[in-house]
């Protein structure tokens, strides 16, 4: 795998790449792959996706005049090679670090990054908008801009992708959609589209002939738009007769080409050159292997999606010792869900493509007929759960907090209005760290607390999570939201008895006389540590209340605080505006109390990427900042 003459060292931008001969591109792909592996072994990130799309990345920047031509990536997991080739090679060692380059492509970082792509399935819609704008620009200036969307088969399970495809077929455009088909998202891809792609075949001789005929007709001016659509319909009929298979994309008047080998970079260059100036919407179907070119990643693509630190030579992952350490909240969820499902036969599990990430795979392994991975389709996950709840089942629907934003209407329209017994578990709530602003789960409390019929709770630790999950599955609890963070908690011995928590009841963790501190969720652990430190060094008596429930609020607890204290500090790991602190202030005002309330939480701007500890310090909710805020009151 060693290379005598390095090509990558001389390539800073795509203009440098285009100076190479086509025959040099396979070597460049190998070097690029090695560079990604070497860097991510010491600076963890998303590995397997970028390895799988290396040849596509090189071919696109080789054929297209980027950044003038637009490449729209769907999910930035696959864009590390793109970053390295577009002026960020020397900065790539700062990827995902505080103050370094962003974890996902962003136009705020580089003109080569055409759109935000932290969440899946938006590339076709965004690229179509750009393609329409390009047509308008071409009519005015005569300059033709090409637009390419790169979407994986996993992202094709999202409804937004189909909305985009539907509009592509009816809007004049020259977009090229590249379908990167690797049979994966993070876990194994699921759904009818995935099965369709696995079985999709075409006649290569027919494809080659059609290529030549269409190019000849285009050169002779014999292929205007109205004729092109008619010929596509005719070719669809001929292809169906030859292959005995309908093609869903061509049924939508989107010309389909493939499937081709997505790891043959020279062949990709040839195909892209032929498609580049072809009019009308086109879809190029490429078969790739996630983790391609690095044996450990090829063998276990789920683990190597984001493997953490590892030895680049041996592929041995560097895993920290978790003995006598608190577990991850997600693992407590997974173990507790299985425990509850064994007792309650009505319980089912639903996740939008995150069974391993949220640990629902624990229940899935034992009860596959009672767990459902619906693909990257958060809205569907909620409405699907609502349908099951309507007929008497009890779904635990687990969605990452930031992704649940996409299901807001479904939560209101399909669950809350009917008061259905759906337990919505929002994993990765709060600041998530290195994945940055597209993934921070900081908006859920402010967004959901205004929705009638919802119960909203956040456990301070692992035992509280277990008790809240047990409570949520008891009869007639209605829609029940439980939000909890990414990573480990604070309790090592977490297998506590499963006991009911009275809905809407908080708890007083510490009495005091001078000031009340109100927290919700795991940030209460930081607050407790700050209060302990102040109590040991200052003559200040501080009461600490764990609110537990954002909705309904514990009115007895708030009456006590309103009657006893003139100074109150609220602390939350969600947005400050409209969150728990705002709810407390509104309640105090409604009931005639006038304490001075200081709210600590996420400020009114998008928070960058960095470690959770770094970001908590920046926004002022770490122990040091909490101490300072309390003492300043």
């Amino acid at each position: 795998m060693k290379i005598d003459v390095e090509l990558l060292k001389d390539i800073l931008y795509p203009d440098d790449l285009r100076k190479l001969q086509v025959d040099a591109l396979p070597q460049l792909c190998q070097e690029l792959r090695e560079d990604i592996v070497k860097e991510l072994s010491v600076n963890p990130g998303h590995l397997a996706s970028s390895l799988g799309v290396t040849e596509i990345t090189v071919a696109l920047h080789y054929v297209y005049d980027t950044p003038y031509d637009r490449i729209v990536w769907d999910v930035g997991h696959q864009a590390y090679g793109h970053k390295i080739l577009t002026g960020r090679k020397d900065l790539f060692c700062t990827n995902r670090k505080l103050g370094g380059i962003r974890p996902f492509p962003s136009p705020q970082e580089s003109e080569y990054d055409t759109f935000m792509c932290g969440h899946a399935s938006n590339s076709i819609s965004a690229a179509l908008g750009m393609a329409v704008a390009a047509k308008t620009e071409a009519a005015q200036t005569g300059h033709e801009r090409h637009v390419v969307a790169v979407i994986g088969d996993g992202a094709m399970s999202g409804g937004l992708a189909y909305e985009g495809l539907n509009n592509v077929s009816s809007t004049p455009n020259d977009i090229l959609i590249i379908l990167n088909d690797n049979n994966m998202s993070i876990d194994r891809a699921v759904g009818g589209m995935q099965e369709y792609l696995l079985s999709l075949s075409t006649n290569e001789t027919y494809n080659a002939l059609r290529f030549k005929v269409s190019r000849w007709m285009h050169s002779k001016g014999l292929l205007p738009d109205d004729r092109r659509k008619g010929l596509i319909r005719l070719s669809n009929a001929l292809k169906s007769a030859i292959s005995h298979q309908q093609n869903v994309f061509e049924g939508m008047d989107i010309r389909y080409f493939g499937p081709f080998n997505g790891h043959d970079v020279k062949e990709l260059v040839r195909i892209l050159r032929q498609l580049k100036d072809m009019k009308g919407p086109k879809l190029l179907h490429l078969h790739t292997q996630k983790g391609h070119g690095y044996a450990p990643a090829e063998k276990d693509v789920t683990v190597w999606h984001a493997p953490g630190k590892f030895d680049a030579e041996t592929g041995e992952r560097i895993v920290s010792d978790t003995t006598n350490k608190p577990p991850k909240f997600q693992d407590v969820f997974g173990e507790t869900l299985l425990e509850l499902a064994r007792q309650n036969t009505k319980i089912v599990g639903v996740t939008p493509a995150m069974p391993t990430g949220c640990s629902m795979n624990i229940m899935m392994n034992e009860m596959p007929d009672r767990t459902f991975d619906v693909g990257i389709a958060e809205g569907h996950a909620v409405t699907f759960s609502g349908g099951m709840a309507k007929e008497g089942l009890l779904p635990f629907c687990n969605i990452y907090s930031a992704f649940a934003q996409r299901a807001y209407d479904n939560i209101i329209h399909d669950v809350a209005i009917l008061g259905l017994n759906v337990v919505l578990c929002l994993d990765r709530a709060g600041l998530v760290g290195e994945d940055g602003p597209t993934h921070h789960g900081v908006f859920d409390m402010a967004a959901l607390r205004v929705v009638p019929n919802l119960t909203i709770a956040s456990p301070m630790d692992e035992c509280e999570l277990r008790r809240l999950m047990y409570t949520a599955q008891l009869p007639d609890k209605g829609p029940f939201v439980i939000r909890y963070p990414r990573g480990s908690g604070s309790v090592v011995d977490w297998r506590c008895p499963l006991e009911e928590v009275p809905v809407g009841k908080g708890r007083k963790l510490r009495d005091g006389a001078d000031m009340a501190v109100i927290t919700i969720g795991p940030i209460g652990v930081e607050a407790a540590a700050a209060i302990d430190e102040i109590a040991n060094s200052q003559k200040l008596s501080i009461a600490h209340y764990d609110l537990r429930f954002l909705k309904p609020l514990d009115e007895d607890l708030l009456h006590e605080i309103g009657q006893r204290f003139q100074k109150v500090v609220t602390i939350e790991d969600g947005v400050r505006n409209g969150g728990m602190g705002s709810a407390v202030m509104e309640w105090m005002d409604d009931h005639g109390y006038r304490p001075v309330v200081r709210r600590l939480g996420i400020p009114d701007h998008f928070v960058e990427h960095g470690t959770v500890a770094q970001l908590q310090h920046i926004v002022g909710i770490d122990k040091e900042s909490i101490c300072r805020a309390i003492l300043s009151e």
Side-chain angles (χ1 to χ4, degrees):
M1 201 171 172
K2 296 302 179 183
I3 299 168
D4 295 328
V5 179
E6 293 185 6
L7 300 173
L8 186 59
K9 66 181 177 61
D10 295 323
I11 295 175
L12 298 177
Y13 290 95
D15 285 343
D16 304 314
L17 165 64
R18 294 174 199 127
K19 295 174 184 176
L20 297 177
Q21 296 296 315
V22 172
D23 288 342
L25 297 185
Q27 177 181 318
L28 176 66
C29 291
Q30 183 177 332
E31 292 182 38
L32 182 58
R33 194 170 267 117
E34 287 182 350
D35 198 59
I36 293 171
V37 169
K38 180 180 178 181
E39 180 55 48
L40 266 63
S41 69
V42 295
N43 180 24
H46 297 102
L47 177 69
S49 299
S50 286
L51 296 184
V53 78
T54 299
E55 286 79 11
I56 296 174
T57 304
V58 169
L60 282 170
H61 282 296
Y62 191 76
V63 172
Y64 288 91
D65 182 22
T66 55
Y68 181 75
D69 289 337
R70 308 302 198 199
I71 300 174
V72 185
W73 296 96
D74 202 297
V75 188
H77 295 160
Q78 59 185 334
Y80 287 175
H82 161 79
K83 285 176 177 278
I84 292 170
L85 294 174
T86 54
R88 287 162 282 184
K89 181 170 60 179
D90 293 338
L91 293 173
F92 191 60
C93 59
T94 70
N95 185 43
R96 294 164 56 86
K97 294 179 180 178
L98 184 67
I101 62 175
R102 298 166 185 254
F104 302 103
S106 168
Q108 296 167 323
E109 178 176 286
S110 171
E111 62 180 335
Y112 289 91
D113 298 352
T114 58
F115 209 73
M116 185 64 70
C117 56
H119 295 188
S121 311
N122 68 337
S123 62
I124 297 174
S125 296
L128 177 60
M130 294 178 189
V132 170
K135 270 196 171 294
T136 302
E137 180 185 16
Q140 296 171 350
T141 67
H143 298 296
E144 199 165 315
R145 188 194 305 270
H146 301 91
V147 181
V148 182
V150 185
I151 184 169
D153 53 320
M156 283 291 290
S157 63
L160 182 59
Y162 294 96
E163 295 178 27
L165 281 174
N166 182 59
N167 203 208
V168 162
S169 67
S170 60
T171 302
N173 67 88
D174 300 321
I175 189 175
L176 171 63
I177 301 167
I178 293 181
L179 175 55
N180 173 29
D181 178 6
N182 61 19
N183 195 29
M184 294 292 298
S185 50
I186 294 177
D187 290 281
R188 184 68 59 183
V190 297
M193 174 55 71
Q194 181 56 35
E195 294 302 315
Y196 172 78
L197 293 176
L198 285 172
S199 64
L200 188 62
S201 63
T202 60
N203 186 295
E204 293 185 8
T205 302
Y206 172 81
N207 260 342
L209 177 61
R210 190 179 67 173
F211 248 135
K212 293 178 181 178
V213 171
S214 63
R215 285 175 61 81
W216 178 83
M217 293 184 69
H218 182 271
S219 68
K220 299 298 183 183
L222 301 176
L223 202 60
D225 191 61
D226 56 343
R227 248 180 231 182
R228 178 184 60 79
K229 290 186 175 182
L231 287 172
I232 288 176
R233 286 190 287 272
L234 175 60
S235 71
N236 292 345
L238 292 173
K239 180 180 286 189
S240 178
I242 294 171
S243 65
H244 304 289
Q245 184 177 31
Q246 295 290 332
N247 186 300
V248 64
F249 303 112
E250 294 198 322
M252 301 175 76
D253 286 338
I254 300 171
R255 297 193 64 179
Y256 170 89
F257 301 94
F260 298 103
N261 178 7
H263 297 303
D264 186 339
V265 66
K266 293 195 291 184
E267 179 68 1
L268 288 179
V269 167
R270 183 188 69 81
I271 294 168
L272 289 173
R273 281 173 169 168
Q274 288 181 317
L275 294 177
K276 184 176 181 182
D277 296 318
M278 191 177 292
K279 299 301 181 184
K282 304 159 289 290
L283 186 139
L284 176 59
H285 183 184
L286 300 176
H287 279 156
T288 62
Q289 180 186 27
K290 192 172 181 179
H292 184 76
Y294 188 60
E298 292 177 355
K299 292 176 182 177
D300 194 343
V301 289
T302 297
V303 167
W304 287 86
H305 171 75
K309 292 184 178 181
F310 60 95
D311 186 307
E313 292 296 325
T314 66
E316 181 179 355
R317 295 175 63 221
I318 301 171
V319 181
S320 59
D321 183 11
T322 58
T323 305
N324 295 323
K325 293 182 179 179
K328 293 180 179 179
F329 273 93
Q330 68 188 56
D331 292 334
V332 174
F333 164 82
E335 296 284 356
T336 304
L337 180 63
L338 177 59
E339 189 176 341
L340 292 171
R342 287 169 177 161
Q343 301 171 11
N344 187 342
T345 58
K346 292 184 178 181
I347 289 177
V348 292
V350 179
T351 175
M354 298 292 177
T356 301
C358 75
S359 293
M360 194 173 286
N361 60 325
I362 295 173
M363 179 180 171
M364 191 173 285
N365 291 337
E366 182 171 318
M367 302 177 179
D369 57 331
R370 291 171 60 185
T371 50
F372 304 92
D373 178 355
V374 301
I376 305 176
E378 295 85 3
H380 166 65
V382 171
T383 302
F384 173 54
S385 297
M388 289 192 288
K390 173 64 172 58
E391 299 304 313
L393 295 179
L394 207 165
F396 274 72
C397 180
N398 191 303
I399 308 177
Y400 292 4
S401 173
F403 300 161
Q405 294 161 187
R406 309 180 116 193
Y408 190 61
D409 175 66
N410 306 77
I411 294 169
I412 295 173
H413 185 274
D414 301 331
V415 172
I417 290 177
L418 292 177
L420 296 171
N421 292 337
V422 173
V423 184
L424 185 62
C425 297
L426 301 184
D427 196 340
R428 272 66 167 177
L431 296 168
V432 299
E434 293 85 351
D435 281 340
T438 59
H439 283 58
H440 293 318
V442 297
F443 301 106
D444 50 26
M445 288 193 289
L448 293 175
R449 79 176 183 90
V450 298
V451 180
N453 287 345
L454 294 185
T455 295
I456 305 172
S458 186
M460 184 170 168
D461 56 39
E462 296 89 334
C463 292
E464 283 287 288
L465 173 58
R466 282 173 56 79
R467 296 184 184 113
L468 286 170
M469 290 177 65
Y470 174 78
T471 302
Q473 54 88 51
L474 294 174
D476 303 320
K477 294 300 182 184
F480 206 111
V481 179
I482 306 174
R483 68 185 299 274
Y484 53 91
R486 178 185 187 183
S488 299
S490 57
V491 178
V492 176
D493 187 14
W494 58 273
R495 291 187 182 274
C496 61
L498 293 171
E499 301 169 338
E500 181 176 2
V501 177
V503 172
K505 290 299 177 183
R507 53 184 182 163
K508 181 161 62 176
L509 301 177
R510 182 188 189 121
D511 202 3
D514 298 323
M515 178 189 301
V517 171
I518 306 173
T519 62
I520 189 167
I523 199 65
V525 175
E526 289 285 318
I531 292 169
D532 285 342
E533 184 171 304
I534 293 172
N536 292 333
S537 60
Q538 305 283 335
K539 294 180 179 179
L540 193 62
S541 178
I542 304 170
H544 183 191
Y545 296 86
D546 171 24
L547 198 57
R548 244 193 205 144
F549 289 89
L550 178 65
K551 189 169 187 167
L553 292 169
D554 187 336
E555 299 205 20
D556 292 337
L557 182 149
L558 291 178
H559 274 299
E560 176 182 322
I561 294 170
Q563 292 166 3
R564 292 185 57 199
F565 299 98
Q566 290 302 308
K567 294 182 178 180
V568 175
V569 175
T570 66
I571 309 171
E572 58 197 301
D573 62 353
V575 290
R576 186 169 57 216
N577 292 344
M580 181 270 286
S582 295
V584 168
M585 291 181 68
E586 291 166 9
W587 188 94
M588 291 289 178
D589 186 67
D590 288 346
H591 291 81
Y593 299 112
R594 298 292 183 269
V596 176
V597 180
R598 172 116 180 234
R599 294 172 297 144
L600 303 184
I602 311 303
D604 189 25
H605 61 75
F606 291 105
V607 180
E608 60 185 314
H609 56 281
T611 67
V612 172
Q614 288 171 328
L615 300 182
Q616 285 184 339
H617 182 71
I618 288 171
V619 302
I621 58 172
D622 65 326
K623 187 180 80 168
E624 178 185 340
S625 302
I626 292 170
C627 284
R628 188 164 53 247
I630 291 174
L631 292 173
S632 68
E633 289 300 316

